[in-house]
């Protein structure tokens, strides 16, 4: 069976002055297309570090990472930028939208860097906003949107370029429980359309939406249940 | 990423901090305005100088009596009267590169007409002078060879003299006294304006050479003359004509090697070169001032761009996380810097042109704003943006995506 993600023996060691700290101590797992994975674990256990490696934002100290069967370890900065642009979609805990920029333009950003023609850009961004239920809010700036709406803009931005995988690091961390539920329903429906989702969360009821749950402890996976 | 989008992002960033953008531009605005104003004034000055040079006449060589004095040009006031009418005739007859030559004598005299008087320069000369200097008459007639031959007591009057003796009245046909000798005014000369040395060329009267020699100048020999003005056949023959005159005069005056010549020659293109040199030195100085202010402005741009990169580290991280390449980020910040300097540049061009126009109308100082100077200013403002924007832009582009995203 083909794997969309294959991590083997990933280590990530941070060096601060003469001190070294291993945030990931040999993490191996693989994810099949269409899976919905929740990553849990105590604070400081290495979840975000692992997500950053998965998202090609950070390079592991050692180990190999195959994305869609391609080893990303040997790629240069611009190749990684293209991978992030075309294969991956990010949703951050803090939304990370551009301030003073209308929602629709935030959603268009990945398409701009992908070189999509301006005419198609706007229509595709509008479709993505419609998918997350934000039609009519496309001209609002982030400061004119609620937290849940901002996160939905971020999700629209993550899925607008039709990525294979959406990576979400505590997507509901800043939201109340009913808004969290809306976001999770959105993820569930995206997952049903075939998008692979990997999500970090602290909350068991949020993790319950996922089909597979992994638990991190001190830089290692201690539990992986379907 | 397409260019239009890059431009839009840069414009939005500049609009977000309007005041800061404006203050940053100010250095460039001032620098470019200075460049434009400087070039306008410089071009105006050069135009005036070339007009003045043209007013003397073209392809002219001066032969001055007396021993050579280096330094300033002493037209006609040679200490010793070493040149004669015969020398002039020889120059005309024996130097093939010479088209014509005009001797002059020069003296100061008090002119009296009725109850008006005016002290000015009286030049004794021949009709050739007016041909050499391309100087026509505004009224009456010019000097003729017959006036010289008969030592007629007639004179040609410069505009300034006419104004001071006769006001707006026509001087032609009037009688004036020069050193108490009565002269008939036969013509009023065209206006010439200032010479490159700043003298008023219209403040003079001209009388036939022989009349001057007999009545006005105390000469050692009856036919000695002061400065001789020579016109070469064309510009290419200017140097040749000068050599011919020198060898002729050396022979006539028995000047052999080692003996100092009792005359000197001066080529008017040398004066032109001096005038041009000083105007170029002036431009260079102003140019240096302008480029210093451009450099200072550019450093201001660099400073603000560095601040901007730091402030927007998180934005850079977001853009990188969703697929911006190094080149995209570099271009974005470079565009922003170039936009700053180009808007500043265009504003500076407008202000500089306006300033030059105001200066020229208030001080009646000639200015010329050329397309060339505008395009140079525009080009330079863009260059300053690229030069000083490059370092901050590269700093932004070389950020690590994860570090940029984590930046607080
Ligand atoms: N850039 C860094 N430099 C040094 N140490 C780091 C760096 N990033 C993370 N760490 C360390 O690595 C460990 C794992 O951090 P990580 O952010 O992955 O935790 P986490 O599991 O996401 O925690 P949380 O649930 O609180 O978000 C922590 O002990 C942290 O101090
Ligand atoms: Mg974390």
């Amino acid at each position: 069976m083909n794997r969309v993600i294959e991590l083997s023996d990933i280590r990530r060691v941070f060096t601060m002055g003469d001190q070294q700290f291993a945030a990931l101590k040999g993490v191996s797992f693989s994810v099949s297309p269409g899976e919905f994975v929740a990553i849990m674990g105590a604070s400081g256990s290495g979840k975000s570090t692992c997500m950053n490696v998965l998202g090609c934002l950070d390079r592991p100290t050692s180990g190999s990472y195959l994305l869609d069967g391609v080893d990303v370890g040997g790629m240069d900065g611009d190749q990684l930028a293209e991978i992030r642009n075309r294969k991956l979609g990010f949703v951050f805990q803090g939304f990370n939208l551009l301030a003073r920029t209308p929602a629709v333009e935030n959603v268009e950003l990945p398409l701009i860097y992908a070189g999509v023609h301006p005419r198609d850009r706007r229509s595709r961004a509008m479709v993505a906003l419609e998918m997350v239920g934000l039609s009519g809010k496309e001209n609002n700036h982030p400061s004119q949107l609620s937290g849940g709406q901002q996160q939905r803009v971020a999700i629209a931005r993550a899925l607008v370029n039709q990525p294979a995988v959406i990576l979400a690091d505590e997507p509901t961390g800043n939201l109340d429980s009913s808004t969290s539920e809306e976001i999770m329903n959105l993820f569930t429906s995206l997952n049903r359309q075939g998008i692979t989702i990997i999500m970090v969360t602290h909350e068991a009821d949020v993790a319950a939406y996922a089909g597979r749950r992994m638990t991190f402890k001190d830089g290692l996976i201690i539990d992986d249940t379907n | 990423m397409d260019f239009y989008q890059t431009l839009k992002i840069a414009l939005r960033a500049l609009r977000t901090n309007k005041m800061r953008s404006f203050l940053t531009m100010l250095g460039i605005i001032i620098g470019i305005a200075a460049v434009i104003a400087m070039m306008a004034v410089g071009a105006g000055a050069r135009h005036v100088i070339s007009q003045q040079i043209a007013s003397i006449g073209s392809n002219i060589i001066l032969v001055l009596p007396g021993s050579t004095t280096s330094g300033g040009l002493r037209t006609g006031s040679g200490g010793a009267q070493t040149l004669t009418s015969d020398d002039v005739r020889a120059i005309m007859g024996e130097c093939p590169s010479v088209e014509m030559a005009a001797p002059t004598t020069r003296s100061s005299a008090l002119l009296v007409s009725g109850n008006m008087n005016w002290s000015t320069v009286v030049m004794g000369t021949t009709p050739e002078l007016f041909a050499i200097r391309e100087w026509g008459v505004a009224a009456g007639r010019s000097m003729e060879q017959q006036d010289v031959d008969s030592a007629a007591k007639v004179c040609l009057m410069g505009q300034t003299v006419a104004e001071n003796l006769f006001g707006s009245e026509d001087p032609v046909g009037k009688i004036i006294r020069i050193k108490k000798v009565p002269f008939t005014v036969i013509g009023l000369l065209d206006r010439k304006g200032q010479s490159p040395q700043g003298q008023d060329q219209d403040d003079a009267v001209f009388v036939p050479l022989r009349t001057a020699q007999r009545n006005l100048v105390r000469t050692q020999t009856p036919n000695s003359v002061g400065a001789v003005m020579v016109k070469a056949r064309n510009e290419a023959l200017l140097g040749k004509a000068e050599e011919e005159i020198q060898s002729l005069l050396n022979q006539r005056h028995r000047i052999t090697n080692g003996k100092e010549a009792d005359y000197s020659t001066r080529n008017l293109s040398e004066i032109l070169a001096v005038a041009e040199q000083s105007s170029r030195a002036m431009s260079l100085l102003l140019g240096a001032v302008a480029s210093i202010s451009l450099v200072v402005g550019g450093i201001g741009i660099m400073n603000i761009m560095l601040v901007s990169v730091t402030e927007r580290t998180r934005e850079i991280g977001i853009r990188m996380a969703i697929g911006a390449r190094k080149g995209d980020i570099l271009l974005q910040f470079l565009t922003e810097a170039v936009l700053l300097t180009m808007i500043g540049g265009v504003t500076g061009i407008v202000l500089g042109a306006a300033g030059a126009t105001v200066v020229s109308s208030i001080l009646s100082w000639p200015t010329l704003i050329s397309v060339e100077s505008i395009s140079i200013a525009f080009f330079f403002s863009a260059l300053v943006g690229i030069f000083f924007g490059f370092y901050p832009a590269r700093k932004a582009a070389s950020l690590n995506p994860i570090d940029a995203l984590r930046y607080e």
Side-chain angles (χ1 to χ4, degrees):
Chain A
M1 173 165 199
N2 68 323
R3 306 292 196 172
V4 67
I5 282 170
E6 255 186 291
L7 289 187
S8 50
D9 202 25
I10 293 288
R11 287 165 201 279
R12 179 67 173 96
V13 181
F14 292 110
T15 312
M16 290 175 300
D18 52 359
Q19 278 189 316
Q20 291 210 324
F21 180 81
L24 297 176
K25 297 171 180 165
V27 170
S28 307
F29 68 91
S30 45
V31 177
S32 306
E35 274 194 280
F36 188 169
V37 183
I39 296 177
M40 303 190 68
S43 186
S45 57
K47 306 182 296 292
S48 293
T49 307
C50 186
M51 289 298 269
N52 292 336
V53 169
L54 286 174
C56 300
L57 291 167
D58 198 8
R59 291 175 192 269
T61 312
S62 67
S64 84
Y65 171 21
L66 302 187
L67 178 65
D68 253 354
V70 183
D71 188 352
V72 298
M75 290 184 173
D76 68 17
D78 282 358
Q79 286 172 313
L80 290 179
E82 191 162 329
I83 293 278
R84 290 195 292 268
N85 185 250
R86 289 174 198 268
K87 296 208 167 157
L88 303 172
F90 281 96
V91 180
F92 302 93
Q93 177 175 2
F95 319 141
N96 275 343
L97 299 174
L98 295 187
R100 289 177 293 272
T101 306
V104 66
E105 288 186 29
N106 264 291
V107 177
E108 277 182 23
L109 273 181
L111 302 177
I112 289 172
Y113 293 115
V116 174
H117 192 277
R119 229 182 307 109
D120 305 336
R121 237 156 43 199
R122 188 48 57 105
S123 60
R124 279 172 66 176
M126 294 303 280
V127 168
L129 280 171
E130 200 182 311
M131 279 175 77
V132 299
L134 274 184
S135 299
K137 298 282 187 191
E138 61 269 10
N139 291 322
N140 289 37
H141 290 194
S143 59
Q144 299 161 335
L145 292 168
S146 73
Q149 286 169 336
Q150 288 185 58
Q151 192 60 303
R152 283 196 263 173
V153 174
I155 293 169
R157 185 180 66 189
L159 59 84
V160 72
N161 211 11
Q162 292 158 330
V165 182
I166 285 184
L167 300 165
D169 193 351
E170 299 191 47
T172 60
N174 281 354
L175 303 175
D176 63 36
S177 58
S178 71
T179 318
S180 297
E181 209 178 301
E182 284 174 30
I183 298 295
M184 290 322 296
N185 287 331
L186 187 56
F187 273 135
T188 307
S189 79
L190 290 173
N191 181 238
R192 289 217 186 91
Q193 292 165 36
I195 298 177
T196 309
I197 296 175
I198 302 175
M199 170 186 76
V200 171
T201 183
H202 280 287
E203 294 148 81
D205 53 340
V206 170
Y209 286 86
R212 176 179 170 192
R213 281 172 290 279
M214 285 195 277
T215 308
F216 274 61
K217 189 176 187 238
D218 294 335
L220 288 168
I221 298 172
I222 54 161
D223 187 39
D224 191 346
T225 52
N226 278 353
Chain B
M1 179 142 97
D2 54 293
F3 185 68
Y4 170 72
Q5 199 63 35
T6 314
L7 208 64
K8 201 169 136 187
I9 293 169
L11 271 175
R12 177 175 288 156
L14 295 186
R15 248 185 289 135
T16 307
N17 284 305
K18 282 195 200 70
M19 191 61 185
R20 187 164 90 182
S21 303
F22 170 72
L23 289 175
T24 310
M25 274 178 211
L26 210 54
I28 300 295
I29 293 175
I30 292 169
I32 292 291
V35 169
I36 290 289
M38 170 274 284
M39 286 173 104
V41 171
R46 262 195 301 284
H47 180 69
V48 168
I49 288 169
S50 66
Q51 265 185 344
Q52 288 173 344
I53 299 286
S55 77
I56 301 175
S58 47
N59 309 331
I60 286 176
I61 299 161
L62 279 178
V63 184
L64 302 172
S67 57
T68 314
T69 44
S70 58
L73 172 68
R74 296 161 55 217
T75 12
S77 63
Q81 292 163 324
T82 54
L83 296 171
T84 65
S85 303
D86 296 332
D87 287 330
V88 178
R89 227 165 284 131
I91 288 171
M92 282 220 265
E94 291 171 38
C95 298
S97 303
V98 168
E99 189 179 329
M100 50 187 152
T104 60
T105 64
R106 183 190 173 96
S107 57
S108 302
L110 186 71
L111 313 191
V112 181
S113 163
N115 58 356
M116 304 294 276
N117 63 71
W118 184 249
S119 185
T120 188
V121 172
V122 180
M123 301 272 265
T125 190
T126 59
E128 282 85 0
L129 182 80
F130 304 98
I132 291 172
R133 300 198 53 186
E134 291 157 26
W135 203 352
V137 287
R141 65 169 178 91
S142 193
M143 192 184 289
E144 278 157 23
Q145 188 56 42
Q146 204 203 322
D147 299 324
V148 181
D149 294 341
S150 63
K153 293 200 176 78
V154 294
C155 72
L156 281 168
M157 191 167 273
Q159 295 270 355
T160 306
V161 179
E163 279 157 24
N164 283 287
L165 284 182
F166 298 101
S168 55
E169 251 181 284
D170 182 5
V172 177
K174 297 258 163 48
I175 307 284
I176 61 166
R177 287 171 182 277
I178 305 175
K179 286 191 178 167
K180 298 185 181 126
V181 182
F183 280 78
T184 309
V185 181
I186 52 168
L188 175 65
L189 288 161
D190 284 330
R191 189 176 292 284
K192 269 280 187 197
Q194 279 197 348
S195 74
Q197 287 85 34
Q199 286 160 344
D200 179 5
Q201 301 178 86
D202 300 309
D203 190 5
V205 293
F206 295 83
V207 301
L209 180 71
R210 195 168 292 168
T211 319
Q213 284 169 334
R214 283 190 191 164
N215 301 292
L216 301 174
V217 269
R218 223 173 285 136
T219 55
Q220 288 153 351
T221 51
N223 67 346
S224 69
V225 299
V228 180
M229 205 170 239
V230 181
K231 184 181 170 78
R233 288 197 186 278
N234 59 50
E235 205 183 328
L237 289 175
L238 209 55
K240 185 122 183 294
E242 199 172 353
E243 280 166 28
E244 288 168 3
I245 294 166
Q246 280 166 352
S247 67
L248 177 77
L249 289 180
N250 285 351
Q251 190 193 329
R252 286 178 64 87
H253 293 200
R254 298 193 173 73
I255 292 160
T256 48
N257 283 347
K259 201 172 153 199
E260 200 184 358
D262 59 355
Y263 69 93
S264 63
T265 59
R266 201 159 279 263
N267 186 330
L268 275 199
S269 64
E270 288 166 19
I271 299 174
L272 182 120
V274 169
E276 238 168 32
Q277 207 177 355
S278 63
S279 95
R280 201 173 306 132
M282 178 83 163
S283 304
L284 223 67
L285 185 77
L286 288 165
V289 170
S291 39
I292 286 170
S293 68
L294 273 184
V295 167
V296 171
I299 292 170
I301 299 258
M302 183 143 130
N303 186 27
I304 286 302
M305 289 309 296
L306 282 172
V307 170
S308 175
V309 167
T310 309
E311 275 180 357
R312 285 151 66 196
T313 301
R314 210 177 162 82
E315 177 196 324
I316 296 164
I318 294 170
R319 289 182 184 277
M320 285 177 157
I322 58 178
R325 283 170 291 262
K326 272 180 188 303
D328 294 323
I329 302 292
L330 185 90
L331 198 67
Q332 182 188 328
F333 280 89
L334 207 53
T335 305
E336 207 175 306
V338 172
L339 213 58
L340 264 177
T341 56
M342 295 249 271
I343 295 173
V346 170
T347 314
I349 288 170
V350 172
L351 282 183
T357 313
V358 168
V359 163
S360 77
S361 68
I362 290 178
L363 300 176
S364 63
W365 203 349
T367 55
L368 268 181
I369 297 156
S370 61
V371 175
E372 186 190 334
S373 69
I374 287 175
S375 36
I376 287 176
F378 192 71
F379 172 76
F380 261 93
S381 59
L383 205 69
V384 166
I386 292 171
F387 187 81
F388 290 98
F390 188 77
Y391 174 71
R394 211 194 50 181
K395 196 179 162 203
S398 59
L399 282 171
N400 192 359
I402 189 67
D403 294 339
L405 266 176
R406 279 221 201 92
Y407 186 83
E408 296 297 329

